[in-house]
Amino acid sequence: MTVADRWLLPDGIEEILPGRARCAEKLRRDMLDLFDRWGYQLVIPPHLEFMESLTAGVGHDLDLQTFKVTDQLTGRTMGLRADTTPAVARIDAHTLKVDGPVRLCYAGSVFHARPASLGASRSPIQIGAELYGHSGVESDLEVISLMLETLAQVDVDSVSLDLGHVQIYRLLASQAGLSGDQEQELFDALQRKAISEVEQLVNRWDISEVSARMLKSLPNLAGGPEILERARGELADAPEGVATALDELGLIARDITSLYPGTGFYFDLGELRGYNYHTGVVFAAYLPGQGQAVAKGGRYDGIGEAFGRSRPATGFSTDLKALLELKAESTEDCTEGTTIFAPVDADAAIVQALRRQGERVVRQLPGQGTEAAGMGCNHQLICRDGEWLVEPL
């Protein structure tokens, strides 16, 4: 191994250097303060858990994303968490055991064995909020509103909200009598928006003409608010729960428009992101010029069942690193502020007093040749007539 090899980082693994790290920490604190004002309590789950806990109730995809190691004490397989949601669900279901609604939030690194998308970080700093114990659309609305408030912290505008409801496909597949393999095969085609393949699959199977027609309509039920009314017509023969799902989407759009009038909407009734564990409304926030969602979430009722207590749940998450990049585009510089240079002979009591008052003081060390400006200071401590004063450089 050469010297150059020793400082190389794996693809998708980044470090945050001084200045940017300070910005990231300030943003993290601002986000957690926002969550706190909404009543969400901070939890800090472990980064390393047994695989059974890390992937409980969330499907095979998360297992593929998880770095795995062997526990030297037990011989069992452990993993570095790739998503914080299962750990928080475990805390709600098994550790807290509260009957009523519980609001929890978190902020910490997660680790992906492979990037979630082309060029994505494999070590995002995931920050998010989860609401347990309430199954109504009101809790979905609260979580979506908090997600939009989170994005407002980095001064973004023109947010487009992508809304779907996985229960629509579940009910249609059940009504059609699809087997598990058929449901998965059709799901894969819907995710790829492969309209011709969807039609070929449905035509090949022995299902009713009504069910076939409604399933084939799903890829085309995507667009603006008018899609909901169109869906009511095309899915009129669906189980009653489909109409309820459409009502929920309409209610969310109405209330979000009232609270956040600048928000755009895109409805996609064939959107099945997280289908293996989501059970209701799914949502994602997009920004102009951004190909990937900047934040996303949805309802995942029953995830706590794997930990001994089934609970309704909804939540969202985002990547602090991605938000930090958005923050960099704003005019605010979080590194601005007073940094005081204290010369080597400065009165130690004065330096201590300044720091206790909240000032940032960098003390010169004996023999140090670096000047104040070279240390990032914009003020200096100077002794004039026997009195130490803070003056701009």
Side-chain angles (χ1 to χ4, degrees):
M1 177 181 289
T2 66
V3 173
D5 291 331
R6 293 192 179 99
W7 54 259
L8 287 175
L9 293 173
D11 288 344
I13 305 297
E14 312 88 16
E15 57 198 358
I16 305 179
L17 301 179
R20 293 295 288 162
R22 188 173 184 224
C23 290
E25 178 60 17
K26 182 180 184 301
L27 183 58
R28 186 189 72 88
R29 294 177 186 178
D30 289 344
M31 297 299 186
L32 293 179
D33 286 345
L34 169 66
F35 296 164
D36 185 71
R37 291 194 296 272
W38 282 58
Y40 286 75
Q41 301 178 86
L42 178 65
V43 292
I44 306 177
H47 284 96
L48 195 64
E49 294 189 51
F50 291 122
M51 283 300 298
E52 294 85 350
S53 295
L54 284 175
T55 59
V58 294
H60 183 60
D61 292 346
L62 193 59
D63 181 80
L64 295 176
Q65 279 282 53
T66 304
F67 284 103
K68 301 176 180 68
V69 296
T70 300
D71 182 10
Q72 299 299 311
L73 296 180
T74 64
R76 293 172 62 185
T77 302
M78 299 191 299
L80 285 168
R81 72 168 187 250
D83 185 8
T84 313
T85 299
V88 180
R90 173 182 54 76
I91 290 172
D92 168 72
H94 178 72
T95 308
L96 297 180
K97 298 180 180 179
V98 175
D99 291 332
V102 170
R103 293 171 171 85
L104 301 175
C105 64
Y106 54 86
S109 294
V110 294
F111 307 93
H112 295 166
R114 59 189 71 184
S117 60
L118 185 65
S121 171
R122 291 200 294 157
S123 58
I125 301 175
Q126 191 180 48
I127 185 164
E130 316 288 338
L131 200 166
Y132 299 96
H134 185 267
S135 59
V137 69
E138 296 83 2
S139 48
D140 293 308
L141 179 63
E142 176 176 317
V143 165
I144 293 172
S145 298
L146 181 55
M147 179 181 73
L148 294 175
E149 291 285 349
T150 299
L151 297 179
Q153 294 287 306
V154 290
D155 304 318
V156 301
D157 52 15
S158 302
V159 176
S160 178
L161 193 59
D162 192 333
L163 286 169
H165 203 302
V166 300
Q167 193 67 7
I168 293 174
Y169 176 65
R170 290 186 191 277
L171 290 170
L172 292 178
S174 176
Q175 182 187 49
L178 299 186
S179 67
D181 289 342
Q182 288 173 330
E183 185 176 339
Q184 185 62 44
E185 193 173 4
L186 184 57
F187 160 78
D188 292 338
L190 285 169
Q191 284 299 90
R192 290 182 279 108
K193 306 297 183 185
I195 297 176
S196 60
E197 187 176 339
V198 168
E199 293 180 350
Q200 291 171 8
L201 288 172
V202 172
N203 290 336
R204 193 173 72 213
W205 296 331
D206 183 21
I207 60 178
S208 72
E209 183 179 338
V210 171
S211 288
R213 173 179 53 79
M214 291 190 294
L215 286 170
K216 286 189 286 187
S217 73
L218 284 180
N220 297 309
L221 291 175
E226 72 282 354
I227 286 297
L228 296 183
E229 196 56 39
R230 183 175 144 202
R232 294 183 192 281
E234 297 203 19
L235 305 179
D237 296 316
E240 183 179 347
V242 170
T244 301
L246 294 172
D247 288 342
E248 290 179 357
L249 292 176
L251 178 63
I252 289 171
R254 185 199 70 191
D255 287 2
I256 290 296
T257 298
S258 174
L259 292 167
Y260 306 94
T263 305
F265 290 92
Y266 183 82
F267 297 90
D268 189 347
L269 304 191
E271 172 56 64
L272 302 173
R273 181 184 61 256
Y275 181 69
N276 291 323
Y277 67 96
H278 279 309
T279 60
V281 174
V282 290
F283 50 86
Y286 289 86
L287 302 177
Q290 300 277 338
Q292 300 294 326
V294 69
K296 58 187 177 181
R299 177 162 291 280
Y300 54 101
D301 293 346
I303 190 173
E305 184 175 359
F307 305 108
R309 197 166 69 112
S310 181
R311 294 264 281 170
T314 182
F316 84 93
S317 66
T318 183
D319 177 13
L320 189 71
K321 290 182 180 179
L323 296 184
L324 188 62
E325 292 303 313
L326 296 173
K327 189 73 170 177
E329 297 174 5
S330 72
T331 56
E332 179 183 356
D333 182 1
C334 68
T335 63
E336 287 183 358
T338 300
T339 301
I340 303 168
F341 176 80
V344 67
D345 60 343
D347 188 324
I350 297 295
V351 172
Q352 182 185 55
L354 286 169
R355 287 171 174 164
R356 287 180 173 175
Q357 292 167 20
E359 299 290 352
R360 188 168 189 248
V361 184
V362 180
R363 184 144 198 179
Q364 183 185 35
L365 296 172
Q368 175 182 318
T370 311
E371 296 183 354
M375 298 175 64
C377 300
N378 50 23
H379 286 68
Q380 60 185 341
L381 196 57
I382 293 181
C383 186
R384 297 190 185 281
D385 300 325
E387 182 180 3
W388 287 97
L389 305 173
V390 176
E391 298 181 355
L393 284 178

